[in-house]
Amino acid sequence: MHNYKELNVWKRSIKLCATIYKLTANFPNEERFGLISQMRRVSVSVPSNIAEGGGRRTDREFLHFLGVAHGSICELESQLYVSVELEFVNFDQIDSITAELTEIQKMLYALIQKFENQA
């Protein structure tokens, strides 16, 4: 088992999740079951997958869940750009979020590389 709570990538993804909840609170109400729900679920899936992988028995399992978390970050980034296209937000509003996404992607990639190199 890995102590995921000590990982900075987990801590930062928890904060990212809160940021997405706050951002989507200003989306149109008709998106409650659409983009709002999807963005919130995928943002929650990032720290959740890191935690689930951390609770697994092997590095291989942990590696799998880190990959899923990385995919969720990419999905969230796409949804942010869809939100811009729909004019729910503008680039200025998501600039710091996309920068944080990039940093979390890098952190996940580095962690994935670490475990792949140990295999």
Side-chain angles (χ1 to χ4, degrees):
M1 285 184 37
H2 304 87
N3 191 350
Y4 65 89
K5 292 180 205 170
E6 291 181 4
L7 296 172
N8 286 330
V9 68
W10 180 79
K11 293 174 187 176
R12 287 175 77 165
S13 65
I14 290 285
K15 289 182 181 183
L16 173 68
C17 183
T19 300
I20 294 300
Y21 266 74
K22 291 172 188 172
L23 178 74
T24 57
N26 298 317
F27 281 22
N29 196 40
E30 66 264 14
E31 286 298 322
R32 182 178 54 218
F33 301 113
L35 203 51
I36 293 170
S37 175
Q38 186 66 21
M39 289 176 73
R40 287 178 175 186
R41 278 184 306 195
V42 77
S43 70
V44 168
S45 80
V46 177
S48 297
N49 276 294
I50 295 168
E52 185 171 357
R56 297 297 176 124
R57 292 183 14 206
T58 66
D59 286 351
R60 184 175 173 92
E61 289 175 300
F62 188 35
L63 186 60
H64 168 76
F65 284 96
L66 291 174
V68 173
H70 190 273
S72 293
I73 285 290
C74 296
E75 184 179 350
L76 180 57
E77 185 174 31
S78 295
Q79 293 163 354
L80 284 166
Y81 288 118
V82 168
S83 300
V84 170
E85 287 298 315
L86 293 171
E87 299 179 352
F88 297 158
V89 292
N90 60 49
F91 281 114
D92 291 338
Q93 290 173 284
I94 68 163
D95 190 46
S96 64
I97 299 171
T98 56
E100 182 63 6
L101 286 174
T102 299
E103 290 304 309
I104 291 172
Q105 282 176 326
K106 289 177 184 177
M107 294 171 81
L108 283 169
Y109 184 74
L111 197 54
I112 288 167
Q113 290 294 88
K114 174 185 171 188
F115 283 99
E116 285 180 339
N117 291 334
Q118 289 178 359

PDB file of all heavy atoms in Angstrom, residues 4-5 7-8 18 21 27 36-37 46 68 78 81 88 97 100 102 109 114 116:
ATOM      1  N   TYR A   4      -1.083   7.601  -0.052  1.00  0.00           N
ATOM      2  CA  TYR A   4      -1.463   8.617  -1.035  1.00  0.00           C
ATOM      3  C   TYR A   4      -1.648   9.988  -0.406  1.00  0.00           C
ATOM      4  O   TYR A   4      -1.465  11.010  -1.063  1.00  0.00           O
ATOM      5  CB  TYR A   4      -2.732   8.182  -1.782  1.00  0.00           C
ATOM      6  CG  TYR A   4      -3.949   8.087  -0.895  1.00  0.00           C
ATOM      7  CD1 TYR A   4      -4.769   9.190  -0.690  1.00  0.00           C
ATOM      8  CD2 TYR A   4      -4.272   6.904  -0.252  1.00  0.00           C
ATOM      9  CE1 TYR A   4      -5.873   9.103   0.131  1.00  0.00           C
ATOM     10  CE2 TYR A   4      -5.372   6.814   0.559  1.00  0.00           C
ATOM     11  CZ  TYR A   4      -6.176   7.919   0.755  1.00  0.00           C
ATOM     12  OH  TYR A   4      -7.276   7.836   1.577  1.00  0.00           O
ATOM     13  N   LYS A   5      -2.015  10.045   0.863  1.00  0.00           N
ATOM     14  CA  LYS A   5      -2.261  11.339   1.527  1.00  0.00           C
ATOM     15  C   LYS A   5      -0.997  12.182   1.637  1.00  0.00           C
ATOM     16  O   LYS A   5      -1.078  13.389   1.824  1.00  0.00           O
ATOM     17  CB  LYS A   5      -2.865  11.131   2.911  1.00  0.00           C
ATOM     18  CG  LYS A   5      -4.261  10.572   2.887  1.00  0.00           C
ATOM     19  CD  LYS A   5      -4.769  10.409   4.302  1.00  0.00           C
ATOM     20  CE  LYS A   5      -5.823   9.349   4.362  1.00  0.00           C
ATOM     21  NZ  LYS A   5      -6.154   9.008   5.745  1.00  0.00           N
ATOM     22  N   LEU A   7       1.156  12.354  -0.848  1.00  0.00           N
ATOM     23  CA  LEU A   7       1.527  12.759  -2.204  1.00  0.00           C
ATOM     24  C   LEU A   7       1.009  14.168  -2.511  1.00  0.00           C
ATOM     25  O   LEU A   7      -0.181  14.442  -2.367  1.00  0.00           O
ATOM     26  CB  LEU A   7       0.958  11.779  -3.231  1.00  0.00           C
ATOM     27  CG  LEU A   7       1.477  10.349  -3.171  1.00  0.00           C
ATOM     28  CD1 LEU A   7       0.681   9.463  -4.124  1.00  0.00           C
ATOM     29  CD2 LEU A   7       2.958  10.324  -3.517  1.00  0.00           C
ATOM     30  N   ASN A   8       1.906  15.036  -2.951  1.00  0.00           N
ATOM     31  CA  ASN A   8       1.498  16.394  -3.323  1.00  0.00           C
ATOM     32  C   ASN A   8       0.487  16.390  -4.464  1.00  0.00           C
ATOM     33  O   ASN A   8      -0.396  17.235  -4.507  1.00  0.00           O
ATOM     34  CB  ASN A   8       2.712  17.243  -3.689  1.00  0.00           C
ATOM     35  CG  ASN A   8       3.507  17.647  -2.470  1.00  0.00           C
ATOM     36  OD1 ASN A   8       2.965  17.805  -1.378  1.00  0.00           O
ATOM     37  ND2 ASN A   8       4.806  17.797  -2.636  1.00  0.00           N
ATOM     38  N   ALA A  18     -12.135  21.216  -5.641  1.00  0.00           N
ATOM     39  CA  ALA A  18     -12.888  22.305  -5.013  1.00  0.00           C
ATOM     40  C   ALA A  18     -13.006  23.496  -5.958  1.00  0.00           C
ATOM     41  O   ALA A  18     -14.070  24.134  -6.048  1.00  0.00           O
ATOM     42  CB  ALA A  18     -12.218  22.724  -3.706  1.00  0.00           C
ATOM     43  N   TYR A  21     -15.707  22.745  -8.527  1.00  0.00           N
ATOM     44  CA  TYR A  21     -17.045  22.888  -7.936  1.00  0.00           C
ATOM     45  C   TYR A  21     -17.449  24.356  -7.873  1.00  0.00           C
ATOM     46  O   TYR A  21     -18.589  24.717  -8.201  1.00  0.00           O
ATOM     47  CB  TYR A  21     -17.095  22.249  -6.547  1.00  0.00           C
ATOM     48  CG  TYR A  21     -17.586  20.828  -6.573  1.00  0.00           C
ATOM     49  CD1 TYR A  21     -16.773  19.805  -7.046  1.00  0.00           C
ATOM     50  CD2 TYR A  21     -18.859  20.509  -6.137  1.00  0.00           C
ATOM     51  CE1 TYR A  21     -17.219  18.496  -7.075  1.00  0.00           C
ATOM     52  CE2 TYR A  21     -19.320  19.198  -6.157  1.00  0.00           C
ATOM     53  CZ  TYR A  21     -18.491  18.195  -6.627  1.00  0.00           C
ATOM     54  OH  TYR A  21     -18.947  16.904  -6.660  1.00  0.00           O
ATOM     55  N   PHE A  27     -22.333  28.113 -13.678  1.00  0.00           N
ATOM     56  CA  PHE A  27     -22.818  27.675 -14.989  1.00  0.00           C
ATOM     57  C   PHE A  27     -24.345  27.751 -15.018  1.00  0.00           C
ATOM     58  O   PHE A  27     -24.988  27.745 -13.971  1.00  0.00           O
ATOM     59  CB  PHE A  27     -22.377  26.240 -15.257  1.00  0.00           C
ATOM     60  CG  PHE A  27     -20.948  26.085 -15.694  1.00  0.00           C
ATOM     61  CD1 PHE A  27     -19.978  27.035 -15.424  1.00  0.00           C
ATOM     62  CD2 PHE A  27     -20.551  24.960 -16.373  1.00  0.00           C
ATOM     63  CE1 PHE A  27     -18.667  26.877 -15.822  1.00  0.00           C
ATOM     64  CE2 PHE A  27     -19.238  24.771 -16.782  1.00  0.00           C
ATOM     65  CZ  PHE A  27     -18.291  25.746 -16.500  1.00  0.00           C
ATOM     66  N   ILE A  36     -21.974  20.434 -15.873  1.00  0.00           N
ATOM     67  CA  ILE A  36     -21.656  20.612 -14.439  1.00  0.00           C
ATOM     68  C   ILE A  36     -21.393  19.255 -13.798  1.00  0.00           C
ATOM     69  O   ILE A  36     -20.368  19.049 -13.143  1.00  0.00           O
ATOM     70  CB  ILE A  36     -22.802  21.345 -13.701  1.00  0.00           C
ATOM     71  CG1 ILE A  36     -22.930  22.785 -14.182  1.00  0.00           C
ATOM     72  CG2 ILE A  36     -22.569  21.304 -12.188  1.00  0.00           C
ATOM     73  CD1 ILE A  36     -24.182  23.498 -13.670  1.00  0.00           C
ATOM     74  N   SER A  37     -22.322  18.345 -13.995  1.00  0.00           N
ATOM     75  CA  SER A  37     -22.199  17.016 -13.406  1.00  0.00           C
ATOM     76  C   SER A  37     -20.948  16.306 -13.907  1.00  0.00           C
ATOM     77  O   SER A  37     -20.195  15.709 -13.124  1.00  0.00           O
ATOM     78  CB  SER A  37     -23.443  16.190 -13.736  1.00  0.00           C
ATOM     79  OG  SER A  37     -23.301  14.877 -13.280  1.00  0.00           O
ATOM     80  N   VAL A  46     -10.069  12.290 -10.069  1.00  0.00           N
ATOM     81  CA  VAL A  46      -8.600  12.394 -10.047  1.00  0.00           C
ATOM     82  C   VAL A  46      -8.052  12.000  -8.668  1.00  0.00           C
ATOM     83  O   VAL A  46      -7.301  11.019  -8.559  1.00  0.00           O
ATOM     84  CB  VAL A  46      -8.116  13.790 -10.490  1.00  0.00           C
ATOM     85  CG1 VAL A  46      -6.596  13.892 -10.380  1.00  0.00           C
ATOM     86  CG2 VAL A  46      -8.572  14.102 -11.907  1.00  0.00           C
ATOM     87  N   VAL A  68      -5.367   6.162 -14.883  1.00  0.00           N
ATOM     88  CA  VAL A  68      -6.775   6.579 -14.961  1.00  0.00           C
ATOM     89  C   VAL A  68      -6.907   8.039 -14.504  1.00  0.00           C
ATOM     90  O   VAL A  68      -7.606   8.836 -15.141  1.00  0.00           O
ATOM     91  CB  VAL A  68      -7.679   5.644 -14.132  1.00  0.00           C
ATOM     92  CG1 VAL A  68      -9.103   6.177 -14.072  1.00  0.00           C
ATOM     93  CG2 VAL A  68      -7.659   4.232 -14.708  1.00  0.00           C
ATOM     94  N   SER A  78     -10.378  19.169 -21.502  1.00  0.00           N
ATOM     95  CA  SER A  78     -11.257  19.280 -22.670  1.00  0.00           C
ATOM     96  C   SER A  78     -12.588  19.914 -22.294  1.00  0.00           C
ATOM     97  O   SER A  78     -13.116  20.763 -23.025  1.00  0.00           O
ATOM     98  CB  SER A  78     -11.502  17.897 -23.283  1.00  0.00           C
ATOM     99  OG  SER A  78     -10.304  17.379 -23.796  1.00  0.00           O
ATOM    100  N   TYR A  81     -12.383  23.638 -22.000  1.00  0.00           N
ATOM    101  CA  TYR A  81     -12.400  24.323 -23.293  1.00  0.00           C
ATOM    102  C   TYR A  81     -13.793  24.309 -23.916  1.00  0.00           C
ATOM    103  O   TYR A  81     -14.177  25.279 -24.578  1.00  0.00           O
ATOM    104  CB  TYR A  81     -11.346  23.731 -24.234  1.00  0.00           C
ATOM    105  CG  TYR A  81      -9.943  24.102 -23.809  1.00  0.00           C
ATOM    106  CD1 TYR A  81      -9.024  23.129 -23.449  1.00  0.00           C
ATOM    107  CD2 TYR A  81      -9.555  25.433 -23.736  1.00  0.00           C
ATOM    108  CE1 TYR A  81      -7.746  23.470 -23.043  1.00  0.00           C
ATOM    109  CE2 TYR A  81      -8.280  25.782 -23.326  1.00  0.00           C
ATOM    110  CZ  TYR A  81      -7.380  24.801 -22.977  1.00  0.00           C
ATOM    111  OH  TYR A  81      -6.124  25.155 -22.569  1.00  0.00           O
ATOM    112  N   PHE A  88     -19.665  29.812 -21.082  1.00  0.00           N
ATOM    113  CA  PHE A  88     -19.989  29.738 -19.658  1.00  0.00           C
ATOM    114  C   PHE A  88     -18.879  30.388 -18.844  1.00  0.00           C
ATOM    115  O   PHE A  88     -19.118  30.873 -17.740  1.00  0.00           O
ATOM    116  CB  PHE A  88     -20.152  28.285 -19.203  1.00  0.00           C
ATOM    117  CG  PHE A  88     -21.280  27.549 -19.874  1.00  0.00           C
ATOM    118  CD1 PHE A  88     -21.278  26.174 -19.919  1.00  0.00           C
ATOM    119  CD2 PHE A  88     -22.357  28.216 -20.448  1.00  0.00           C
ATOM    120  CE1 PHE A  88     -22.305  25.467 -20.514  1.00  0.00           C
ATOM    121  CE2 PHE A  88     -23.392  27.531 -21.061  1.00  0.00           C
ATOM    122  CZ  PHE A  88     -23.371  26.148 -21.089  1.00  0.00           C
ATOM    123  N   ILE A  97      -6.552  27.551 -13.826  1.00  0.00           N
ATOM    124  CA  ILE A  97      -6.980  26.151 -13.683  1.00  0.00           C
ATOM    125  C   ILE A  97      -6.230  25.270 -14.683  1.00  0.00           C
ATOM    126  O   ILE A  97      -5.733  24.203 -14.323  1.00  0.00           O
ATOM    127  CB  ILE A  97      -8.501  26.012 -13.860  1.00  0.00           C
ATOM    128  CG1 ILE A  97      -9.234  26.817 -12.786  1.00  0.00           C
ATOM    129  CG2 ILE A  97      -8.919  24.547 -13.815  1.00  0.00           C
ATOM    130  CD1 ILE A  97     -10.739  26.924 -13.001  1.00  0.00           C
ATOM    131  N   GLU A 100      -2.775  24.720 -13.532  1.00  0.00           N
ATOM    132  CA  GLU A 100      -2.726  23.718 -12.466  1.00  0.00           C
ATOM    133  C   GLU A 100      -2.916  22.310 -13.031  1.00  0.00           C
ATOM    134  O   GLU A 100      -2.257  21.366 -12.601  1.00  0.00           O
ATOM    135  CB  GLU A 100      -3.781  24.018 -11.400  1.00  0.00           C
ATOM    136  CG  GLU A 100      -3.771  23.065 -10.225  1.00  0.00           C
ATOM    137  CD  GLU A 100      -2.493  23.071  -9.388  1.00  0.00           C
ATOM    138  OE1 GLU A 100      -1.578  23.899  -9.616  1.00  0.00           O
ATOM    139  OE2 GLU A 100      -2.395  22.224  -8.494  1.00  0.00           O
ATOM    140  N   THR A 102      -1.960  21.295 -15.922  1.00  0.00           N
ATOM    141  CA  THR A 102      -0.676  20.947 -16.532  1.00  0.00           C
ATOM    142  C   THR A 102       0.314  20.473 -15.471  1.00  0.00           C
ATOM    143  O   THR A 102       1.026  19.482 -15.673  1.00  0.00           O
ATOM    144  CB  THR A 102      -0.103  22.143 -17.316  1.00  0.00           C
ATOM    145  OG1 THR A 102      -1.023  22.478 -18.356  1.00  0.00           O
ATOM    146  CG2 THR A 102       1.261  21.829 -17.906  1.00  0.00           C
ATOM    147  N   TYR A 109       2.588  12.098 -14.377  1.00  0.00           N
ATOM    148  CA  TYR A 109       3.487  11.453 -15.339  1.00  0.00           C
ATOM    149  C   TYR A 109       4.798  11.047 -14.666  1.00  0.00           C
ATOM    150  O   TYR A 109       5.307   9.946 -14.881  1.00  0.00           O
ATOM    151  CB  TYR A 109       3.746  12.376 -16.525  1.00  0.00           C
ATOM    152  CG  TYR A 109       4.581  11.728 -17.589  1.00  0.00           C
ATOM    153  CD1 TYR A 109       4.032  10.760 -18.430  1.00  0.00           C
ATOM    154  CD2 TYR A 109       5.921  12.059 -17.753  1.00  0.00           C
ATOM    155  CE1 TYR A 109       4.811  10.140 -19.403  1.00  0.00           C
ATOM    156  CE2 TYR A 109       6.698  11.448 -18.719  1.00  0.00           C
ATOM    157  CZ  TYR A 109       6.133  10.493 -19.543  1.00  0.00           C
ATOM    158  OH  TYR A 109       6.898   9.872 -20.503  1.00  0.00           O
ATOM    159  N   LYS A 114       8.205   6.783 -12.448  1.00  0.00           N
ATOM    160  CA  LYS A 114       8.920   6.216 -11.302  1.00  0.00           C
ATOM    161  C   LYS A 114       8.533   4.753 -11.108  1.00  0.00           C
ATOM    162  O   LYS A 114       9.390   3.887 -10.952  1.00  0.00           O
ATOM    163  CB  LYS A 114       8.624   7.011 -10.045  1.00  0.00           C
ATOM    164  CG  LYS A 114       9.203   6.432  -8.783  1.00  0.00           C
ATOM    165  CD  LYS A 114       8.769   7.206  -7.559  1.00  0.00           C
ATOM    166  CE  LYS A 114       9.189   6.472  -6.305  1.00  0.00           C
ATOM    167  NZ  LYS A 114       8.638   7.072  -5.109  1.00  0.00           N
ATOM    168  N   GLU A 116       7.004   2.760 -13.311  1.00  0.00           N
ATOM    169  CA  GLU A 116       7.351   1.955 -14.499  1.00  0.00           C
ATOM    170  C   GLU A 116       8.821   1.581 -14.494  1.00  0.00           C
ATOM    171  O   GLU A 116       9.179   0.469 -14.898  1.00  0.00           O
ATOM    172  CB  GLU A 116       6.997   2.714 -15.780  1.00  0.00           C
ATOM    173  CG  GLU A 116       5.516   2.732 -16.080  1.00  0.00           C
ATOM    174  CD  GLU A 116       5.174   3.485 -17.345  1.00  0.00           C
ATOM    175  OE1 GLU A 116       5.963   4.333 -17.812  1.00  0.00           O
ATOM    176  OE2 GLU A 116       4.074   3.232 -17.859  1.00  0.00           O
TER     177      GLU A 116
END
